[in-house]
Amino acid sequence: MPLHRLTTLHVGVTEMDDTREWYRQFGLTEEEPGRMATRDGGVQLVLESAPYRGIRQIGLGADDPDDLARIAASLADADMGIDVEHGDTVRFRDPIDNVAYEISVAPRYAAAPTSAVTFNSPSAAPRRDEPADAVLRAHPVQPSNLTHMVRGSKDPVASIAFHTEVLGFELSDSLGDFGGFMRCSDVHHNLAVQLAPQPFLHHVSFECDDVDEVGRGGAHMLDLDADSHVWGLGRHAIGSNYFWYLKDPSGNFAEYSSDIDRISAQEAYQPKDWNDKENLYSWGPPLPMEFLAPPDIEDVLAAMAED
Ligand SMILES: [Fe+2]
């Protein structure tokens, strides 16, 4: 697979200063104004002032220039009328939804090993005579990486075909005509699409070391602004990850996640039949309507349609 991860996502925001501060509090490091870095992935979120919130460009990483050339050739051979710029990077617009993509040579993640966390249970209690590690953590949460994003597509079936057949993604799970979860690494999903009239940004997700970091991060953001809460803490069924969704001051959803499924090979993985939105989560608070239909969605879709 020539691709190996999301690199940098450019996101339009309407409230630049407040949104920058919000992502600093979320745990990203602002290396330059609006350029937010994760702990292990470098700058992975670039905030751009825009008349409406949403995706400005999706960045994907490849291992070397030969892989870039192979992807450029695949795009040209797709016979989909794609205009491909191929220099140090490969730039194009997705032929289904007209979303801008930039593929560049990027290092693979090299996440520092996290300290071993022990859990006591009725049958095994390896932690003796000391409190849980998480109780003693005092450092601010620092997400490791931008692990996935979810966006709208006017034709998810065609979008999945484009991403898998032309770009080399693999399909992990699908929701029939409604959408699908795709990966360009061993993570269960790096990109998911869902049926929508415009390719709006549903959410970005940042991977944390463990569920305690998801909880500590969510609690910190609620301490600052209880209205930023969207949904959590819970555990998804598709992908298995713990989640806590929050809303930035421009209305974009951002997720803390951990313990997402890893897939070693397509043939080793058995997708289940998830064709039921009840399966969106295994446990957690009731699914809020806001998650399915963000409160500003009508305005965002109208602005995108006019753009
Ligand atoms: Fe997610």
Side-chain angles (χ1 to χ4, degrees):
M1 184 184 296
L3 299 173
H4 59 79
R5 68 171 169 102
L6 292 175
T7 51
T8 306
L9 181 66
H10 292 242
V11 172
V13 299
T14 54
E15 310 297 327
M16 177 58 89
D17 290 344
D18 288 350
T19 306
R20 285 170 55 197
E21 171 62 12
W22 193 88
Y23 281 105
R24 289 194 293 265
Q25 292 291 340
F26 188 86
L28 305 186
T29 301
E30 189 169 32
E31 296 202 341
E32 293 174 53
R35 296 178 64 82
M36 320 302 292
T38 60
R39 188 188 67 201
D40 300 316
V43 173
Q44 294 210 273
L45 182 67
V46 175
L47 306 177
E48 300 179 358
S49 287
Y52 59 87
R53 69 174 183 87
I55 301 162
R56 311 298 284 186
Q57 180 175 279
I58 296 172
L60 300 169
D63 281 322
D64 54 47
D66 288 347
D67 281 341
L68 280 186
R70 275 190 279 275
I71 291 167
S74 178
L75 288 161
D77 291 347
D79 199 21
M80 300 174 87
I82 304 169
D83 190 10
V84 184
E85 277 180 47
H86 181 195
D88 290 342
T89 67
V90 170
R91 296 164 58 90
F92 62 95
R93 283 187 171 269
D94 137 38
I96 314 300
D97 294 301
N98 201 35
V99 174
Y101 281 71
E102 181 179 68
I103 304 178
S104 55
V105 173
R108 292 188 174 234
Y109 290 129
T114 48
S115 56
V117 175
T118 52
F119 293 94
N120 286 346
S121 72
S123 61
R127 194 184 71 248
R128 298 277 175 182
D129 310 317
E130 59 181 0
D133 162 81
V135 174
L136 303 176
R137 295 179 196 172
H139 59 275
V141 169
Q142 265 198 305
S144 161
N145 63 81
L146 173 64
T147 180
H148 68 261
M149 58 168 293
V150 178
R151 70 164 172 89
S153 171
K154 66 184 180 190
D155 187 343
V157 173
S159 179
I160 290 166
F162 168 72
H163 285 90
T164 55
E165 293 166 16
V166 179
L167 293 181
F169 277 76
E170 299 210 63
L171 182 64
S172 296
D173 280 297
S174 111
L175 296 168
D177 294 345
F178 182 75
F181 296 78
M182 297 173 279
R183 66 186 188 281
C184 61
S185 69
D186 65 349
V187 170
H188 177 278
H189 52 281
N190 302 107
L191 172 66
V193 290
Q194 66 180 58
L195 183 63
Q198 299 289 339
F200 79 100
L201 177 60
H202 186 274
H203 71 267
V204 290
S205 180
F206 294 91
E207 186 175 31
C208 299
D209 290 336
D210 56 36
V211 64
D212 281 298
E213 294 301 275
V214 174
R216 291 197 322 118
H220 173 65
M221 298 309 285
L222 260 57
D223 277 348
L224 298 174
D225 178 9
D227 289 340
S228 69
H229 177 71
V230 175
W231 190 29
L233 171 72
R235 187 154 194 157
H236 279 302
I238 301 172
S240 303
N241 55 296
Y242 293 107
F243 65 82
W244 194 329
Y245 292 90
L246 299 134
K247 183 171 56 183
D248 76 27
S250 296
N252 298 297
F253 292 173
E255 175 190 15
Y256 289 113
S257 66
S258 76
D259 198 27
I260 193 167
D261 293 341
R262 255 61 178 185
I263 297 175
S264 51
Q266 191 75 23
E267 46 285 5
Y269 176 68
Q270 295 292 324
K272 296 182 185 66
D273 178 9
W274 297 116
N275 208 358
D276 178 350
K277 293 194 189 68
E278 292 294 308
N279 283 325
L280 195 54
Y281 65 119
S282 171
W283 57 262
L287 176 63
M289 268 310 296
E290 183 181 8
F291 186 77
L292 299 175
D296 64 352
I297 193 64
E298 293 303 327
D299 291 342
V300 169
L301 293 177
M304 294 180 81
E306 283 174 18
D307 201 357

